Amino acid sequence: MVTVPRLVVAAAASGQGKTTVAVGLMAALRHAGHAVAGAKVGPDYIDPGYHALATGRPGRNLDPWLQGEEQVLPLLLHAATTPTPADVTVVEGVMGLFDGRLGADGWASTGHVAALTRSPVVLVLDISAAARTVAATVHGLRTFDPQVEVAGVVLNKSGSPRHAAEVRRSLEALGVPVLGVLPRDSGVSAPSRHLGLVPAAERADAAAALDRLAEQTARLVDLDAVLELARSAPPLDARPWAAPTGPQRPSRRVAVAGGRAFTFRYAEVEELLRAQGCEPVVFDPARDAALPAGTSGLYLGGGFPEVHAAALAGNTSLLADVADAVGSGLPTVAECAGLLYLAESVDGHRMVAQVPTTAAMHPRLTLRYRTARTDHDTLLAPAGAVVRGHEFHRTRTLPGHGERPGWLLDGEPEGWSLDPAGTGTPTVHASYLHVHWAGHPQLARRFADAVHAAPTRGALPAPATPAPPAVRPAPAPPADPWRHHGDAEVAPGLVDLAVNVRGEAPPPWLADHLRAEVAGLAAYPSTAAARTALARRHEVPEAAVLPTAGAAEAFTLLARALHPRRAVVVHPQFTEPEAALRLAGTVPEHVLLTPEDDFALDPQAVPADADLVVVGNPTNPTGVLHPRATLEALRAPGRVLVVDEAFVDTHPGDDASLAGPDLAGLLLVRSLTKTWALAGLRAGYVLGDPALLTRLARQQPPWSVGTLAARVMVETATPLARAEAARAAEETAAWRRHLVTGLTALGLRPVPSSTSFVLVEVGVGVREALRERGYAVRRGDTFPGLGPAWVRIAVRDPLTSDGLLRELGRVLARRTERSA
């Protein structure tokens, strides 16, 4: 008998908040010092990715259909003991508590798994539209199946403390403890798209969002009570699952697709391959130039190639390498996303073209359990073999199968079993069907046998006739260099390193607040609450705050309100302030900083009689953070000092801003669009001298700051939001160090940066060459003091930066060869 503290997080239906609570519990318990294991009921790949991020160990799946009832308990124990024993195991359910395979009386449901593992159940209940009726729902769920123990509840989307108290009283009358209450606007959720949640591996904000979720959960849920409940689970009479081992033989490498486009695979696949004498080596089809050296087999699992099709298609070197390898007989398993990658095209984007089909998005989702059989000897199974799997996709292939299908799914042919090299034995298995190999270890054994029999493949040189790169028209020369910005560099199919917005979408909690505000859009907007929140954040009077429609509006207002005799702009600098001044009839003088001094500012270079000085800090595009003493030296009687602090939140620490009690003669322009991924909303503000702000406000059109922008100002000024921004700044600093190290290794000298971009001189024509290779960076020649050899590179996660560095290295190497 073995003691395993454990619980199952379930709900009455989908959409109640199971993932939020389950992942929040995992993260909060781990933050509290406990070793936590996570598992998911059903075939889902995405939620286990969040489990892995929250627990620091592989996320597991428990599915009686895919694995067999007899394997569920051993696999739970495997999750709880690998790589080390966990203090508690949290199992996230699927759909409603008793919803399983249709027509099978709850088979493979959360309740089924809870009964098999004898785990207490915590119900998550959305109470937004009910009160005492919640107790009736819980009563029904508790009594529906006596083998399932409902031991506690977490109330989600409470409208008010009074509302929650009413529900709590009704549940306590049943003897069911309430473990926690989450308010309606707790801001703990994750973004979704066509197949559910966006995978954690694709979210640059995932770690920061997880920290916020852990903090919220620890504050709103009784973790001690949760642990006590988990420890009440009875001992289990079973042994952990272990991958069956194969014969002793030299290790062979299996290339396993990973990265953002291939996030779906069960952790047991790699464990089974290792047990069969194979070494899984993860590579990124969107970034890596070739298959790993020594590859003897290829495993292409699931993911979102349709989302990342442009990046996959742009990596022509790897496409050619994979096509050559697969065509030469490399044993290859391709499930779902892998099938699309091997197809001729996906939504018109060229792929490997080793499977004779094309794929495209389809309006209907395919999601179902399937029974599969082989009608001939395939790479994975002998003729007549029967397995259980599932389909989960929103693309369709045309045609849907080959002459020899990968499987007969419930009797219908699907997928491809191919022998492209003419070996007499299929070496490619490509199908939409996902199979959990822990339930069918014979598949891993047969694939491993083929890998050991295949020749080892070394790293290949670039093909003599590589596939032509995607055509990416260069943007037209800037019509007005003062009004040229990074978004003009971006185009479909390009990796965006030209725009300095962090993340692809605002964090889920902020998006929830914005959605909640939509119902009030019929009313005219007010910035009163925003002004109050911002003043409280910066500890200044409300008169020292002016909300604006982004930083750009602020520059327009000050250009119209101020009529300087001698205006000076310190360059290189964001060009919008000068553009606004010129439009208002003021042509400023320039103080040009130089790369020889790493663009450092000497206050003595600014004319003493200048009555308006504009400077950035951290400066766009150089990334330079001027010392506070340097900026203070620019303040003078009769002078207005404008400091563009749009990127100050991207610098760790609170020492970068001039915000403080003394704002005389000072205007600090702030932006909320960079950190919070809100460039399309336009939210910013000015801190400064109240008398100056009064002059700016007179130039501001009525209601220029909309309701949604004002809500953003309120929500991002909270302590929790500021803590999240601080964590994001620390993460950005780590990513920036990675990028700078890579640029330096290429022999370049990036300007020392303190923010979310890096300026570097790469040479004339390099920007255009990078564009041809799929990467958009910001041109430097529209900034005074820089020329066409300079580019500004947005800081992204290390995986994205590595792709840029790879292509930049190739461009620079080719230029060196030509000049030799």
Side-chain angles (χ1 to χ4, degrees):
M1 303 292 285
V2 59
T3 299
V4 178
R6 62 195 182 277
L7 58 86
V8 172
V9 178
S14 296
Q16 301 280 297
K18 288 190 303 294
T19 300
T20 295
V21 172
V23 176
L25 286 174
M26 295 175 197
L29 289 167
R30 186 186 182 199
H31 281 210
H34 302 284
V36 185
K40 171 71 179 180
V41 175
D44 189 305
Y45 292 94
I46 301 177
D47 290 348
Y50 285 92
H51 299 175
L53 188 64
T55 65
R57 52 204 286 160
R60 306 285 178 172
N61 292 75
L62 305 174
D63 192 310
W65 173 262
L66 296 181
Q67 301 153 349
E69 278 188 308
E70 71 283 354
Q71 291 284 19
V72 170
L73 190 50
L75 283 165
L76 172 69
L77 294 176
H78 180 58
T81 56
T82 304
T84 58
D87 299 322
V88 60
T89 299
V90 178
V91 180
E92 180 188 344
V94 62
M95 299 185 292
L97 178 56
F98 298 109
D99 300 327
R101 185 168 182 254
L102 293 177
D105 297 327
W107 180 274
S109 67
T110 303
H112 186 191
V113 170
L116 288 173
T117 61
R118 302 174 66 195
S119 301
V121 173
V122 172
L123 285 176
V124 180
L125 299 166
D126 179 348
I127 65 170
S128 59
R132 285 181 53 80
T133 304
V134 172
T137 301
V138 173
H139 174 71
L141 293 171
R142 288 181 76 198
T143 58
F144 186 80
D145 185 346
Q147 296 187 72
V148 177
E149 177 197 3
V150 175
V153 299
V154 173
L155 307 180
N156 192 23
K157 299 186 180 179
S158 164
S160 67
R162 186 180 178 190
H163 176 210
E166 179 76 4
V167 179
R168 186 188 292 270
R169 282 195 301 272
S170 66
L171 289 169
E172 288 174 347
L174 293 178
V176 180
V178 175
L179 304 172
V181 178
L182 306 181
R184 183 178 289 125
D185 60 349
S186 62
V188 284
S189 61
S192 301
R193 62 171 175 235
H194 60 279
L195 293 184
L197 298 182
V198 175
E202 294 190 48
R203 294 182 56 196
D205 68 334
L210 186 68
D211 287 341
R212 178 183 174 87
L213 177 56
E215 293 173 4
Q216 292 270 34
T217 303
R219 180 168 58 87
L220 300 171
V221 178
D222 188 341
L223 295 183
D224 291 336
V226 169
L227 283 172
E228 184 179 353
L229 188 153
R231 291 165 180 158
S232 72
L236 298 172
D237 185 12
R239 292 185 175 183
W241 175 86
T245 58
Q248 291 289 335
R249 45 193 175 183
S251 178
R252 305 298 293 275
R253 280 191 160 191
V254 173
V256 176
R260 293 189 172 194
F262 288 86
T263 56
F264 295 7
R265 63 182 180 276
Y266 296 118
E268 291 82 2
V269 166
E270 295 183 29
E271 294 168 341
L272 282 158
L273 288 175
R274 289 191 184 94
Q276 294 293 326
C278 296
E279 177 196 357
V281 179
V282 178
F283 73 103
D284 185 351
R287 302 281 182 254
D288 292 332
L291 289 171
T295 292
S296 297
L298 178 60
Y299 180 87
L300 302 166
F304 287 105
E306 64 272 25
V307 174
H308 302 282
L312 295 173
N315 192 357
T316 56
S317 175
L318 182 64
L319 288 178
D321 192 21
V322 172
D324 183 74
V326 174
S328 299
L330 184 75
T332 301
V333 174
E335 285 192 348
C336 200
L339 162 64
L340 303 188
Y341 186 61
L342 293 186
E344 294 171 358
S345 65
V346 173
D347 282 337
H349 296 278
R350 179 176 176 173
M351 294 291 145
V352 172
Q354 281 294 332
V355 174
T357 189
T358 60
M361 289 292 291
H362 193 272
R364 293 186 60 185
L365 172 68
T366 297
L367 174 59
R368 53 189 170 182
Y369 284 127
R370 305 298 294 266
T371 299
R373 181 174 63 83
T374 52
D375 64 354
H376 66 283
D377 290 347
T378 73
L379 173 65
L380 285 182
V386 178
V387 301
R388 287 174 168 178
H390 79 105
E391 286 186 90
F392 182 42
H393 55 92
R394 197 164 240 154
T395 56
R396 296 285 173 88
T397 57
L398 186 66
H401 62 87
E403 183 178 341
R404 291 200 296 179
W407 301 106
L408 298 178
L409 299 184
D410 299 321
E412 295 296 323
E414 189 275 335
W416 283 261
S417 176
L418 303 172
D419 178 19
T423 64
T425 302
T427 57
V428 175
H429 180 94
S431 167
Y432 270 122
L433 190 71
H434 294 286
V435 181
H436 199 300
W437 284 9
H440 304 283
Q442 68 274 18
L443 304 185
R445 184 164 53 247
R446 188 175 177 92
F447 176 56
D449 289 343
V451 170
H452 282 282
T456 298
R457 181 179 179 82
L460 295 180
T465 55
V471 176
R472 300 182 178 92
D480 180 1
W482 298 111
R483 287 288 168 88
H484 182 83
H485 303 301
D487 58 327
E489 311 282 349
V490 181
L494 294 176
V495 178
D496 176 13
L497 300 177
V499 174
N500 295 315
V501 174
R502 178 184 172 89
E504 298 176 355
W509 59 267
L510 184 54
D512 287 344
H513 284 303
L514 294 177
R515 279 190 288 269
E517 198 68 55
V518 168
L521 291 182
Y524 283 96
S526 169
T527 60
R531 190 188 300 265
T532 300
L534 293 169
R536 185 182 301 117
R537 171 188 174 182
H538 293 287
E539 299 180 345
V540 298
E542 290 190 23
V545 180
L546 178 66
T548 62
E553 187 196 30
F555 295 129
T556 298
L557 298 179
L558 69 88
R560 292 173 178 173
L562 307 178
H563 302 285
R565 293 175 290 97
R566 189 175 187 183
V568 172
V569 178
V570 178
H571 280 294
Q573 142 84 21
F574 183 51
T575 53
E576 198 62 39
E578 177 147 348
L581 286 168
R582 286 172 174 265
L583 191 63
T586 299
V587 179
E589 300 176 33
H590 294 172
V591 170
L592 288 179
L593 309 183
T594 64
E596 291 76 19
D597 299 322
D598 284 334
F599 298 99
L601 171 61
D602 179 1
Q604 298 300 318
V606 177
D609 61 343
D611 57 348
L612 175 66
V613 177
V614 181
V615 62
N617 206 48
T619 307
N620 176 11
T622 64
V624 170
L625 182 71
H626 301 297
R628 186 184 186 95
T630 298
L631 296 180
E632 291 285 0
L634 294 177
R635 301 177 71 174
R639 173 184 290 176
V640 176
L641 175 62
V642 178
V643 184
D644 178 4
E645 293 188 345
F647 291 95
V648 75
D649 287 342
T650 67
H651 173 73
D654 297 325
D655 59 339
S657 175
L658 286 188
D662 179 13
L663 295 173
L666 196 60
L667 293 175
L668 309 178
V669 181
R670 304 294 290 265
S671 170
L672 295 173
T673 62
K674 283 40 173 194
T675 294
W676 305 109
L678 289 166
L681 190 58
R682 312 312 304 149
Y685 55 99
V686 185
L687 298 174
D689 187 324
L692 292 173
L693 291 186
T694 299
R695 294 168 64 184
L696 266 62
R698 293 195 189 108
Q699 300 295 325
Q700 193 171 33
W703 312 296
S704 70
V705 177
T707 299
L708 298 182
R711 182 66 181 267
V712 165
M713 296 174 195
V714 172
E715 299 303 334
T716 58
T718 66
L720 279 174
R722 293 172 61 189
E724 181 171 323
R727 289 191 295 269
E730 293 287 352
E731 185 175 52
T732 296
W735 292 356
R736 183 179 65 246
R737 288 192 292 270
H738 181 87
L739 174 61
V740 168
T741 299
L743 292 170
T744 304
L746 293 175
L748 301 173
R749 185 178 176 270
V751 177
S753 173
S754 296
T755 185
S756 57
F757 47 82
V758 174
L759 181 70
V760 62
E761 189 174 19
V762 294
V764 176
V766 171
R767 177 181 63 86
E768 293 82 354
L770 286 173
R771 186 178 184 85
E772 287 299 316
R773 291 172 175 268
Y775 289 85
V777 295
R778 171 66 159 91
R779 67 192 303 156
D781 56 359
T782 61
F783 294 102
L786 301 180
W790 291 87
V791 296
R792 189 193 69 195
I793 304 172
V795 170
R796 300 285 191 258
D797 62 276
L799 189 66
T800 302
S801 292
D802 285 346
L804 168 78
L805 292 167
R806 177 197 69 216
E807 297 303 331
L808 178 57
R810 291 175 179 168
V811 171
L812 296 176
R814 186 163 298 179
R815 291 166 65 89
T816 301
E817 292 171 0
R818 290 174 179 171
S819 62

